[in-house]
Amino acid sequence: MGSPNKARYLGAAAVWAVVMAVAAQLPSAAAAIPAFPDPLTGPSGLGDRYYPADGNGGYRVNHYDVGIDYDPPSHQLTGTARIDAVSTQALHAFSLDFSGPAVQRVTVDNLPAGFVRGGQHKLTLTPAIPILPGLPFSVTVEYSGVEQDTGGAGWTYSPSGGAFAAGEPHSAGTWYPVNDTPRNKATFDLRVTIPRQWQAISNGVQTGDRVDGDKHTVGWSSRHPTAGYLTTVAIDHLDFLNQRRANGTPLISAFAPGAVRDEALERRLPEILDFLESLYGPYPFESAGGIYVDTDLRFSLETQTRPIYAPWTVLNTVIHENTHQWWGDSMSVRNWSDVCLNECFASYTADYLWPERKEGKNVDALYRKTVSQMRDRPEYWRVPLAAPGAGSEFTSVYSRGPLFLHALRHELGDGVFFSAVRQFVQSHAYRNASMPEFRAFIQSKTTSDLSGFFAAWLDTATRPADRYLYPGTLRG
């Protein structure tokens, strides 16, 4: 019996000859248009209006299996990443997003492949045997070098000498090769080898913990698809808190040396998840927890199953980042212009719904007070929620986003509003969604015409008219 791989390659070569014969007819037609894309190369960049170079076409990743060996004193990172994908077109070349250490070797289906790095974060690969459409294939990238500190845009050093990965909209590409787009979520396995006295934590559930001489190897696995920027690792002298929800879901949290004071806050996680489930349906993942760092970080981040928390974290932050496990992680944006789906809901839940439902606050009064303070400040309304623009996507969504959702709630009434948002996020679990889809879905739940309301709140750079600022019972 012949080798299955060899038979596959011989069959591929035969079909490839036909593909190349057809492709040979293309240059004469394309010669007059030098910028015409190569039909046998996966696009480098998927055309997001804000980050057009992010992501890569011609294939879809299903799984990442990453192993890294990190030495905190020297910051030396040695990694091997195996990427399991399926082609969506014929490929004699394709790319990944990677800005990490020097690449030493690449294979495609266990055969050596050519590679070149270019731009800010592109690693372009040329397989020895081109890939036909619809076939599964694997890529293995080996890399090693000093891992640079991005200061919160990916790999970031900790005061102890450890490190963690966090950043939005980019992070993963600084420490492993990735198809860096929320449109291509994949499952993720990670093994971290570090000096014996260090610990490491990542997404999902722990799959291994072994000490071998002066080395400590820890494994973690995410069983649900994850966007690249939502994967993480933290390496430090960690203290751990292990809890369980009433249904048995493990809650695994870790604290850097200067963050142990936050343990009391994290002990409220079961209560927080119970509250969020009452709003948005069952918690979507196999585990939960948090990673509390002691680095001077300007943001916290909803890394999947295990958010990264900056030293200034308070209860509101923990509620916000865990709301993202539904709005942003399980259901991810289609494009970065859709970021209100993530941040408007996380902010509304933490700033309005928790205070109202858990603390008895009058959030209608809070809404009216905020509108009164901001109504005559043009700069407050200048960034549209549905089209904030590149570089401004993480601005108005935090402040005006909660106002928009509270006004929408009064426009629809509580019964329709809470039922609709729960249905929407559940119907898009483990997939992607957009603001236009959200608008259409909400409109389908009422006979009232919401076009003027949505345009006033989402599309314009001015304050909404009073009839949209004070809908329903807010008029009182």
Side-chain angles (χ1 to χ4, degrees), residues 116-349:
V116 63
R117 301 183 78 162
Q120 291 185 326
H121 53 74
K122 292 298 177 182
L123 172 64
T124 300
L125 313 181
T126 306
I129 297 177
I131 301 164
L132 294 175
L135 288 183
F137 66 98
S138 66
V139 178
T140 301
V141 181
E142 299 173 11
Y143 51 98
S144 184
V146 174
E147 179 73 338
Q148 300 297 325
D149 182 8
T150 68
W155 197 267
T156 301
Y157 294 170
S158 296
S160 63
F164 61 91
E168 185 180 19
H170 309 112
S171 172
T174 64
W175 61 288
Y176 70 91
V178 60
N179 193 16
D180 204 2
T181 167
R183 300 180 207 170
N184 188 179
K185 304 195 287 185
T187 52
F188 179 71
D189 285 341
L190 176 67
R191 290 169 310 286
V192 187
T193 300
I194 42 185
R196 180 180 185 133
Q197 67 273 26
W198 294 78
Q199 293 84 38
I201 190 168
S202 183
N203 312 83
V205 295
Q206 190 169 7
T207 56
D209 190 341
R210 185 183 78 253
V211 174
D212 185 7
D214 62 352
K215 292 288 189 177
H216 182 195
T217 300
V218 184
W220 292 87
S221 179
S222 292
R223 299 171 184 170
H224 294 91
T226 311
Y229 79 100
L230 296 173
T231 62
T232 190
V233 63
I235 297 164
D236 217 317
H237 300 294
L238 299 169
D239 286 321
F240 287 87
L241 170 65
N242 291 285
Q243 305 178 88
R244 281 192 181 272
R245 297 190 66 203
N247 65 4
T249 302
L251 311 180
I252 308 164
S253 305
F255 304 84
V260 178
R261 65 184 180 277
D262 290 321
E263 182 176 318
L265 184 59
E266 186 68 357
R267 286 189 180 276
R268 299 191 69 176
L269 183 57
E271 175 191 6
I272 292 167
L273 294 178
D274 287 349
F275 173 72
L276 295 174
E277 274 197 348
S278 74
L279 295 171
Y280 304 127
Y283 178 71
F285 301 119
E286 69 274 18
S287 71
I291 302 171
Y292 289 76
V293 302
D294 54 8
T295 305
D296 185 17
L297 195 64
R298 72 181 190 277
F299 61 89
S300 292
L301 184 64
E302 62 270 19
T303 40
Q304 190 160 303
T305 70
R306 202 149 285 117
I308 297 272
Y309 294 113
W312 45 262
T313 291
V314 294
L315 178 62
N316 177 280
T317 317
V318 182
I319 299 164
H320 181 109
E321 303 305 341
N322 279 285
T323 303
H324 278 308
Q325 303 306 305
W326 285 261
W327 297 90
D329 292 16
S330 173
M331 184 190 74
S332 299
V333 295
R334 194 174 306 283
N335 295 294
W336 284 105
S337 57
D338 300 314
V339 74
C340 182
L341 287 176
N342 294 6
E343 302 300 344
C344 294
F345 274 94
S347 296
Y348 184 59
T349 305

